[in-house]
Amino acid sequence: MKTRAVVLRGTSTARPYSATRPVEVEELELGAPREGEVLVRIAAASLCHSDLSVVNGDRVRPLPMALGHEAVGIVEETGPGVHRFTPGDHVVLVYVPSCGFCGDCAAGQPALCAQAAAANGAGALLHGPSLLTDAAGEPVHHQLGVSAFAEHAVLAQESLVPIPKDVPFEVASMFGCAVLTGAGAVINTAALRPGQSAVVYGLGGVGLSAVLGARAAGAYPVIAVDPVAEKRELALRLGATHALAPDDAVREIRELTSGGAELAVEAVGSPKVMGACLEAVARGGRVVSVGLPAPDRMLEVPALAFAGEGKSLLGSYMGDAVPRRDIPRFLDLWRAGLMPVERMHTGTLPLTGINTAMEELASGRAIRQVLDTSGLLGR
């Protein structure tokens, strides 16, 4: 079948993206679902900084690639051996299609699935090579087994989590990456307890989701740090108790927490910010890093912070989430008013507005923009 999709053919740092247009909407041929695969009509796809990191080359991926990894859709067709889903089901798309059988999956860490990592790194699907070809008949790679900036996508059934049909598409689209990663870092990786103090550096979609996770976990105070005043104001509306600019933030955090926070979440992808987080936590405090720095960037911190002060630096990929467990329970928190993720929605654009949307995200003006990929929004 034919589908329109956003395709990246060469990395670019030239901005503004709205003028340089590093990606274009192309008509691609999409193969039918194979054993264990599902055809989904994409209803809404959100933009994430991880998409920008592929465009600018910070995350090296095989090209050409059909982009998009955070989305929600409707099942249209299932391949042989698929018993979890039926046409008409609403599903959140997940960017790590864990195999379910390896040691990490068996240990409850599907985000670390080696088989999924290999497929994602190759631009393939969990059950086989790419199903996308361009007008010249050349293969186009999948992004993280999803490629959701499109009208339709075929995915491994392991990349899908069913959700109730009454959840608005604009809301549900954020749960496959931003909420899993940010809230998961606080609730799963850090296991934050009620009454503990938390600080979040970087208030994009993932960082603000970490603020939501800290609020839902009963943390106090919840301190949000970002250079953009509008993002600090939004963090306060989402449940942060304090919002600070980065300059002199460490001193202010220590004052607010009587010596340092018990948890700091780094959601920038900056070694410098990781170092600031280590300074901002108290003796015995934990730093959880969820940002994605460029692969060649190195971290230098005082070695004595660990054995001498008992501090911990933890990595968190996809929030250490088990998506089939965590997406439903995070949606329950949304229903209860404890995770108002709809407040992060800063605009809706058609698929053809992708370059404008990327520029808005790169500039810091937008948090979570949603692409109306199939004309389903607002119905």
Side-chain angles (χ1 to χ4, degrees):
M1 67 176 295
K2 300 289 187 183
T3 186
R4 292 193 311 152
V6 170
V7 178
L8 173 69
R9 292 191 172 274
T11 59
S12 173
T13 58
R15 291 179 55 199
Y17 294 132
S18 52
T20 61
R21 302 186 65 82
V23 299
E24 294 292 346
V25 177
E26 299 184 19
E27 186 173 80
L28 303 178
E29 186 70 29
L30 175 62
R34 298 166 296 205
E35 180 89 19
E37 294 178 340
V38 179
L39 172 66
V40 175
R41 183 179 181 184
I42 306 299
S46 302
L47 272 77
C48 172
H49 271 280
S50 294
D51 302 313
L52 290 180
S53 69
V54 177
V55 172
N56 66 23
D58 282 348
R59 300 291 287 172
V60 179
R61 299 292 182 186
L63 301 178
M65 175 169 280
L67 298 182
H69 71 281
E70 182 180 271
V72 63
I74 302 172
V75 172
E76 289 200 343
E77 182 184 342
T78 59
V82 174
H83 306 295
R84 303 177 188 174
F85 304 98
T86 58
D89 287 347
H90 288 202
V91 288
V92 167
L93 283 54
V94 177
Y95 63 92
V96 180
S98 54
C99 74
F101 299 101
C102 68
D104 288 315
C105 289
Q109 297 180 299
L112 301 181
C113 175
Q115 186 175 342
N120 283 354
L125 298 179
L126 187 65
H127 300 297
S130 173
L131 289 172
L132 293 168
T133 54
D134 62 18
E138 296 298 320
V140 175
H141 298 90
H142 298 269
Q143 184 187 12
L144 299 175
V146 179
S147 293
F149 295 161
E151 295 168 329
H152 289 84
V154 170
L155 305 93
Q157 62 180 335
E158 294 86 355
S159 293
L160 303 174
V161 174
I163 62 169
K165 293 182 180 180
D166 65 336
V167 180
F169 290 133
E170 295 93 330
V171 170
S173 67
M174 303 181 209
F175 278 79
C177 177
V179 176
L180 273 188
T181 302
V186 171
I187 294 171
N188 296 327
T189 309
L192 188 69
R193 298 191 301 273
Q196 290 188 313
S197 54
V199 57
V200 178
Y201 272 77
L203 301 178
V206 170
L208 288 170
S209 294
V211 169
L212 289 172
R215 175 199 183 195
Y220 187 87
V222 178
I223 305 166
V225 182
D226 196 279
V228 180
E230 291 79 8
K231 292 183 177 180
R232 298 196 299 269
E233 293 169 5
L234 177 55
L236 292 170
R237 295 200 298 274
L238 290 174
T241 59
H242 303 79
L244 308 174
D247 296 341
D248 211 25
V250 170
R251 180 188 62 79
E252 294 180 77
I253 291 165
R254 288 174 173 168
E255 290 179 358
L256 289 168
T257 58
S258 301
E262 287 160 287
L263 170 66
V265 176
E266 185 277 324
V268 179
S270 164
K272 180 180 178 181
V273 175
M274 290 182 202
C277 286
L278 276 169
E279 288 186 65
V281 296
R283 295 173 63 87
R286 292 155 293 159
V287 175
V288 176
S289 176
V290 298
L292 289 173
D296 60 348
R297 304 207 52 195
M298 306 300 290
L299 173 65
E300 291 189 15
V301 296
L304 194 60
F306 303 109
E309 299 179 331
K311 298 180 180 182
S312 302
L313 175 58
L314 306 172
S316 179
Y317 187 52
M318 203 173 71
D320 285 321
V322 180
R324 291 180 67 84
R325 176 197 69 192
D326 290 338
I327 288 176
R329 67 174 179 166
F330 290 162
L331 281 171
D332 285 343
L333 291 172
W334 167 76
R335 288 188 190 278
L338 296 175
M339 281 192 179
V341 300
E342 65 276 4
R343 296 178 186 174
M344 298 194 297
H345 179 203
T346 50
T348 299
L349 297 91
L351 197 60
T352 53
I354 180 62
N355 286 294
T356 297
M358 286 200 307
E359 180 57 32
E360 288 296 299
L361 182 60
S363 70
R365 291 186 291 268
I367 304 298
R368 269 306 187 264
Q369 301 167 96
V370 175
L371 295 178
D372 184 358
T373 56
S374 298
L376 292 176
L377 298 187
R379 291 189 182 181

